[in-house]
Amino acid sequence: MRLYKGIVAVAAALVLAGCGSATGANPGPAAVPPPVSAADLAKVTLKVGDQKGGVKSLLTAAKGLDNLPYKIEWSTFTSGPPLLEAASAGAIDIGRVGNTPPIFAAAAKAKIAVVSVSKSNVEREAILVPDDSPLKDVASLKGKTVGVAKGSSAHGQLLNTLHNAGLSTKDIKVTFLQPAEAYAAFTQHTIDAWAIWDPYTAQAQIEAKARVLADGRGSSNGLSFQTASTAALADPGKNSAIRDFVVRVVKAQKWADAHRPEWAAAWAKETGLKLEVAQKAVDAGRDLPTPLDDSIVQSEQQLADAFTDDKTLPGKVDFAAYADRRFGPDLEAAQKTPRSNG
């Protein structure tokens, strides 16, 4: 996998585009193109964005699911926001992100739509502090420096966690750092706390003796989304490939949940994580598919409104306009189909 270049310029353009009202950016789900023949599908190259220990590892581990009727070109990103910036620009067709990146993308009027959803264990979304930190509760973060990836799921969890303690992001010093940068800052004690997700949570706990100050219970919905570019969804060949791809991901998620030791070993091999780190993250519970229904849209709308109220976003986001349910029947069928290989 290669690290996608040129994201900074795209990010800057999207931030500028998002400085006006965030409402009405996306007209909603587009018309669904007809399926293509097997011969035409074989000509498609699906450009997929991925993150550390992501979908590529999952499809490879779940035997047979990486035997595709089309080609995939993988690109690796540090977190969800730059992945969606690339999707909006047409540099990739689809990728998995957490619950917050689609909200920031919508505020930036990105040309994307969420097409499938999964839910994970929110206890693995955490605000970490060093083991010897004097901080004992969320209230003690006031005036402290907290590292987080801007627009990531951890950013959403941090916002809600602070709110639940009667604080806002204005009461702390937020330092926007990508995970690798934040891990270095955390271990060097240049930040007081770090808002992050697995496998980084597990890595920091095992390798840096990090302590959980607060987790995602009561502050995160634990959702992640396969999010596609609207251009890809409008293209018959790409749309057919995306339909097949998201179904395979559902099957792979079910396989991983039923084969946790095998998945942890494959994950560690693919990412270079220590096996004990991967095993800890997997044992805590990974993504499981769930329907993209009205409750999901409502939960995301509440999170979007929280960012608007915090004045982190410049206007109101209509999340429903970015939810495309065209693959719902296929995904529902995949969730009901037993997966027992391996």
Side-chain angles (χ1 to χ4, degrees):
M1 292 185 288
R2 61 188 176 81
L3 183 63
Y4 195 85
K5 305 292 187 181
I7 296 303
V8 174
V10 178
L14 283 172
V15 169
L16 289 173
C19 288
S21 171
T23 304
N26 190 323
V32 180
V36 300
S37 67
D40 285 337
L41 185 59
K43 300 174 185 177
V44 173
T45 297
L46 190 65
K47 298 179 180 180
V48 181
D50 205 15
Q51 297 185 54
K52 183 178 182 179
V55 177
K56 182 180 181 183
S57 300
L58 191 59
L59 292 180
T60 301
K63 300 170 184 176
L65 288 178
D66 60 346
N67 185 17
L68 304 165
Y70 45 87
K71 300 178 183 66
I72 283 189
E73 180 181 300
W74 297 94
S75 298
T76 305
F77 295 82
T78 56
S79 64
L83 188 155
L84 292 191
E85 288 153 13
S88 181
I92 61 170
D93 301 314
I94 190 170
R96 175 193 171 278
V97 298
N99 59 5
T100 303
I103 292 170
F104 273 66
K109 304 179 183 177
K111 298 174 182 178
I112 56 95
V114 300
V115 295
S116 70
V117 59
S118 56
K119 187 175 178 64
S120 63
N121 182 357
V122 297
E123 291 183 43
R124 302 310 298 161
E125 298 179 44
I127 298 175
L128 303 176
V129 295
D131 188 49
D132 59 355
S133 170
L135 303 180
K136 300 301 181 184
D137 53 28
V138 176
S140 61
L141 286 173
K142 189 171 184 178
K144 303 301 182 182
T145 302
V146 182
V148 66
K150 185 175 183 179
S152 67
S153 60
H155 195 178
Q157 190 242 336
L158 174 63
L159 175 72
N160 282 332
T161 300
L162 290 170
H163 181 267
N164 292 344
L167 302 175
S168 77
T169 55
K170 310 303 184 292
D171 293 310
I172 64 171
K173 299 173 184 176
V174 179
T175 299
F176 291 125
L177 299 168
Q178 290 299 316
E181 300 170 317
Y183 185 80
F186 183 81
T187 56
Q188 294 166 13
H189 290 73
T190 57
I191 56 177
D192 299 301
W194 180 23
I196 194 57
W197 59 89
D198 257 340
Y200 302 103
T201 302
Q203 183 179 24
Q205 286 180 301
I206 290 174
E207 297 179 3
K209 308 304 180 186
R211 172 166 54 87
V212 175
L213 187 71
D215 61 35
R217 287 175 292 183
S219 60
S220 175
N221 57 21
L223 301 177
S224 60
F225 297 92
Q226 288 290 340
T227 307
S229 76
T230 52
L233 291 172
D235 178 88
K238 296 274 191 179
N239 183 71
S240 293
I242 290 171
R243 181 188 301 274
D244 176 87
F245 178 77
V246 295
V247 166
R248 287 172 186 268
V249 171
V250 165
K251 293 178 179 179
Q253 288 172 334
K254 292 179 63 180
W255 174 89
D257 188 54
H259 300 81
R260 294 187 179 189
E262 296 97 318
W263 168 223
W267 198 12
K269 181 179 179 181
E270 177 75 25
T271 61
L273 289 169
K274 292 181 179 178
L275 180 58
E276 62 178 322
V277 171
Q279 192 67 62
K280 182 177 180 66
V282 168
D283 286 344
R286 300 298 298 160
D287 293 337
L288 287 175
T290 192
L292 179 53
D293 58 19
D294 290 346
S295 68
I296 297 296
V297 173
Q298 182 181 14
S299 181
E300 285 293 288
Q301 188 63 54
Q302 290 172 346
L303 179 58
D305 291 345
F307 274 108
T308 298
D309 293 343
D310 190 62
K311 298 186 176 4
T312 302
L313 291 180
K316 184 176 177 63
V317 169
D318 179 13
F319 190 81
Y322 290 82
D324 191 318
R325 310 185 198 195
R326 67 179 65 188
F327 304 129
D330 303 274
L331 295 168
E332 183 179 357
Q335 290 178 39
K336 292 180 179 177
T337 302
R339 182 72 187 168
S340 58
N341 70 328

